[in-house]
Amino acid sequence: MPGATILGVYLYFVLSWGPRYMLHRKPYDLQNILVVYNFVQVLASIWLFWEAMDAAWWTRYSWKCEPVDWSTSPEAMRIAWAFYMFFLAKISELLDTVFFVLRKKDRQITFLHMYHHTVMPMISWGAAKYYPGGHGAFIGMINSFVHIIMYTYYMMAAMGPQFHKYLWWKKYITTLQLAMVIRVT
């Protein structure tokens, strides 16, 4: 219920209340908040990627097919904990859209963006609750790797125009995201 409530409030804010609230207001300047937020997202993504590699893919998981370890062994519990942290990361990423609303960046709020930010918390909650481990960890590892790059870009973009000359690689982020989606599916 808490996750469903958070998603409900998120959707209500992004699709209804937030745009009405911002209708006659100037966009908020969230530069410092965005730098800190994106830095935290980079750190979380690095940790999730490292945890997936160290607890699973470098050590004991098969790259071909890996079933869920239903035991309460320390290894299985470590991976289950990482799945739960991945779910919490997806909840925290809902702030991406909230910041778009508060900055009046409505063009950034596409159907695909909303779909991704609504479905990922649901999928990651289900994985954390019912299938915490196995080959599903591969998707989380790939997602975390892409998010390291993506949130690094967002952080640098939020740091101001003096950093924009270093952001020539923006066009490759979407290509990377699509390549990872195609590769995983």
Side-chain angles (χ1 to χ4, degrees):
M1 278 315 282
T5 302
I6 290 169
L7 281 176
V9 169
Y10 162 76
L11 289 170
Y12 178 71
F13 177 84
V14 169
L15 298 174
S16 181
W17 190 81
R20 284 184 303 169
Y21 173 78
M22 293 302 296
L23 189 61
H24 299 295
R25 288 178 170 74
K26 290 182 180 179
Y28 285 98
D29 177 16
L30 302 175
Q31 181 178 2
N32 294 333
I33 291 170
L34 289 172
V35 170
V36 171
Y37 168 76
N38 287 305
F39 179 71
V40 170
Q41 292 297 352
V42 169
L43 291 180
S45 297
I46 289 170
W47 183 84
L48 287 164
F49 178 77
W50 174 261
E51 196 64 5
M53 295 303 290
D54 190 53
W57 300 106
W58 280 334
T59 55
R60 45 183 263 193
Y61 270 27
S62 166
W63 288 88
K64 293 179 183 174
C65 184
E66 186 65 38
V68 175
D69 180 357
W70 298 103
S71 76
T72 57
S73 71
E75 296 85 9
M77 298 310 291
R78 180 180 178 189
I79 291 169
W81 177 254
F83 266 64
Y84 182 66
M85 291 294 106
F86 186 79
F87 162 68
L88 293 179
K90 298 307 118 186
I91 292 294
S92 74
E93 291 167 13
L94 298 176
L95 287 172
D96 290 358
T97 321
V98 171
F99 294 146
F100 286 150
V101 171
L102 295 175
R103 293 168 53 223
K104 292 184 130 178
K105 301 284 187 183
D106 300 332
R107 290 186 55 208
Q108 299 291 328
I109 306 171
T110 64
F111 172 78
L112 183 59
H113 175 89
M114 291 297 299
Y115 180 81
H116 176 76
H117 282 271
T118 304
V119 170
M120 283 302 291
M122 291 189 287
I123 291 172
S124 60
W125 173 81
K129 182 160 177 69
Y130 298 110
Y131 300 102
H135 221 72
F138 185 73
I139 295 168
M141 186 255 309
I142 294 292
N143 181 269
S144 296
F145 175 76
V146 170
H147 280 203
I148 293 168
I149 296 166
M150 185 182 76
Y151 282 112
T152 298
Y153 171 84
Y154 292 153
M155 180 181 65
M156 290 177 69
M159 292 169 83
Q162 68 271 26
F163 289 92
H164 292 181
K165 62 186 170 193
Y166 303 112
L167 299 178
W168 54 266
W169 42 280
K170 175 183 181 178
K171 62 184 175 183
Y172 299 108
I173 294 174
T174 303
T175 303
L176 177 65
Q177 290 171 315
L178 292 173
M180 293 300 158
V181 168
I182 291 168
R183 183 75 179 143
V184 169
T185 55

